[in-house]
Amino acid sequence: MTTTWRMRFELSDSPGALARVTVRLAAADCNVLALHVIPVPGGVLDEIVVQAGEGVLPADLVEAVRSEGAKRVRITRADVRDLVDEPTAALRAAKMALIDPGKTAEALRQVLAADSVTHGEADEGQVQLGDLVARRGWARFTQVELARAQALLDLVEAQAPAIRGFLSDDGVALVLRPGVAADEEAVAGLHSRCSMKTLFNRYHSGMRAVPRRWLHRLLNPPRGTTVLAQCADQVVALGQIIHTGTPDCAEISLLVEDAWQHRGVGTALLRALASDAGAAGYSELVAWCLPSENALVRAAARAGLPATTRREDGLLRVSIAPRGHARKTPIATVVAEKTR
C-alpha cells in the first residue's frame, strides 16, 4: 500500500542539489508528485509531495533526503489538496470564507496547511491571527504563509455588511447603508431640516444650509467612507470615517437631524462606523467637538465603545477605540518559544 507524504527541508544552494534528492527518492521507489520552493529569510525552503512505495517508512524518506545534505527535515501525511497549486488552493479557500464567514477558520487551516485553526489565545510556538490561533507541529509557519493568511483575513473582514437595519429607541425601523452619488438631493434635504445649532456643532461654522459643492465630497470622501441612516424615503443622519494620514487612525463625524436626536440613531450610526473602522484596521477614531458638546461621548458610552477626551486648540478631542479592530500589519504574530 502506498502512502503520500509532504516534506520540507533546507538544501545547500548548489547546482543539482534538489535533483540529487529526487534521484535518491526514485531509487527508494518513491514518486515526487509536487514541488514548491518557499522563500524564507536568508534562502529558501524546498517542499515536496512524495508518494512512497510499499514498505517505505517516513524515517526512510527522511534519511534519503538527509543523505543528500538536507537539513531541518520535516514530514507529515499529505492529501489530495496538497497536489493543487497554491494560488488555486488559496482562491478556493477565499471563496469558501466569503460565502460563509463561519468557515474562515477552516479556510485559514487549508491556506496554512495547519494542524488546526481555532478561536483563542496563542501559546508558545503558535500563531495569533486576529482572534484565531493556528497550530502546526510538523513544520513552522513561514512568513510567506503568514502573509497569505493575513491577506485572506483582510479580504473576509473587508466584506462588511453594506445594509444594516435597526430600530430607534421608540421602535421606528431605519436602515444604515453606504452613501452614493445619487443621494445628493436626500443629503441636501437632511441639512435643510437641521437647525443652525446642529449644523454649527458639526461644521463649526455658521450656515443655514450646506453648499451644493459640498454634497459630492460628503458622499464620496477621497480618503474615507460615508454611511447614511434612512427612514422610509428620507435620509435622517450621516456619518463619515476619514483617514487622517496617521497610521491606524481615522477621523469620525456624525450629523443627526434634530427630529431624530435622542432616539438612538446617533448611537447606532456610531456603532456601525466603529465596526467598519475595526474591520478596516483602525485602532483609533478621533472626533473634534465644541467644548460644550458631549453628544458624541454619550453616544460612545451607549454603544459600549471606550472613549477619552482632552482639550486641544480650543476644541474637545474625543478618542474612541473600535473594539475588536483588525491589525493593519500584514504579518501575523508568532508567539515565541521559550528558551529551553
Side-chain angles (χ1 to χ4, degrees):
M1 179 179 178
T2 61
T3 306
T4 304
W5 299 94
R6 185 174 186 170
M7 303 181 69
R8 282 189 182 179
F9 46 84
E10 293 181 16
L11 278 176
S12 61
D13 187 14
S14 59
L18 188 56
R20 289 193 295 273
V21 168
T22 58
V23 170
R24 174 78 65 167
L25 291 172
D29 195 25
C30 299
N31 185 22
V32 177
L33 303 178
L35 167 65
H36 301 290
V37 178
I38 306 170
V40 296
V44 296
L45 279 177
D46 293 301
E47 178 180 289
I48 58 175
V49 179
V50 180
Q51 187 177 61
E54 187 174 353
V56 178
L57 301 176
D60 299 327
L61 296 173
V62 172
E63 179 58 31
V65 297
R66 281 180 174 167
S67 65
E68 295 297 338
K71 300 178 181 178
R72 298 180 178 86
V73 182
R74 298 290 184 268
I75 187 168
T76 188
R77 282 187 179 272
D79 59 31
V80 68
R81 285 191 297 271
D82 297 320
L83 301 179
V84 179
D85 68 281
E86 291 181 352
T88 300
L91 287 171
R92 287 178 177 173
K95 178 182 178 181
M96 175 174 64
L98 289 173
I99 293 175
D100 182 0
K103 295 182 179 179
T104 299
E106 173 59 20
L108 282 174
R109 189 194 68 77
Q110 293 183 18
V111 167
L112 287 169
D115 297 332
S116 66
V117 176
T118 58
H119 289 273
E121 297 293 328
D123 293 326
E124 58 186 68
Q126 299 174 351
V127 171
Q128 191 77 49
L129 290 156
D131 61 349
L132 295 171
V133 178
R135 304 172 179 86
R136 187 168 72 188
W138 69 277
R140 292 187 179 186
F141 297 108
T142 67
Q143 295 300 303
V144 171
E145 290 173 316
L146 295 179
R148 189 181 299 132
Q150 187 63 54
L152 173 63
L153 282 180
D154 292 343
L155 179 64
V156 173
E157 291 166 351
Q159 306 302 307
I163 299 178
R164 290 156 281 193
F166 72 99
L167 295 177
S168 66
D169 291 349
D170 50 352
V172 179
L174 296 96
V175 169
L176 297 174
R177 62 174 179 82
V180 296
D183 292 315
E184 286 192 7
E185 290 300 325
V187 171
L190 160 66
H191 285 78
S192 70
R193 295 188 300 274
C194 290
S195 66
M196 288 189 66
K197 178 183 177 182
T198 294
L199 293 177
F200 189 82
N201 286 338
R202 166 61 181 86
Y203 298 107
H204 305 163
S205 64
M207 61 173 67
R208 292 186 177 274
V210 63
R212 301 292 297 187
R213 66 181 183 277
W214 286 15
L215 295 176
H216 177 77
R217 199 171 189 85
L218 282 172
L219 290 166
N220 299 277
R223 304 188 319 276
T225 58
T226 297
V227 175
L228 305 179
Q230 182 170 335
C231 179
D233 61 347
Q234 283 193 338
V235 171
V236 301
L238 178 151
Q240 287 187 307
I241 303 173
I242 307 295
H243 183 41
T244 62
T246 300
D248 300 330
C249 179
E251 185 172 343
I252 189 171
S253 61
L254 303 179
L255 176 68
V256 180
E257 181 180 328
D258 292 59
W260 288 90
Q261 293 175 13
H262 310 294
R263 297 170 65 179
V265 176
T267 299
L269 185 55
L270 177 60
R271 186 182 292 118
L273 290 170
S275 176
D276 291 350
Y282 294 111
S283 59
E284 182 186 28
L285 297 175
V286 174
W288 297 94
C289 305
L290 298 176
S292 59
E293 180 58 38
N294 60 2
L296 187 64
V297 176
R298 294 199 311 269
R302 292 189 62 188
L305 299 169
T308 59
T309 63
R310 72 168 185 258
R311 293 289 186 94
E312 192 172 310
D313 297 329
L315 294 173
L316 187 68
R317 183 185 188 276
V318 181
S319 173
I320 299 172
R323 294 183 302 178
H325 65 274
R327 289 182 179 272
K328 293 191 76 124
T329 49
I331 303 300
T333 301
V334 181
V335 179
E337 294 184 355
K338 296 178 180 176
T339 303
R340 300 188 186 279

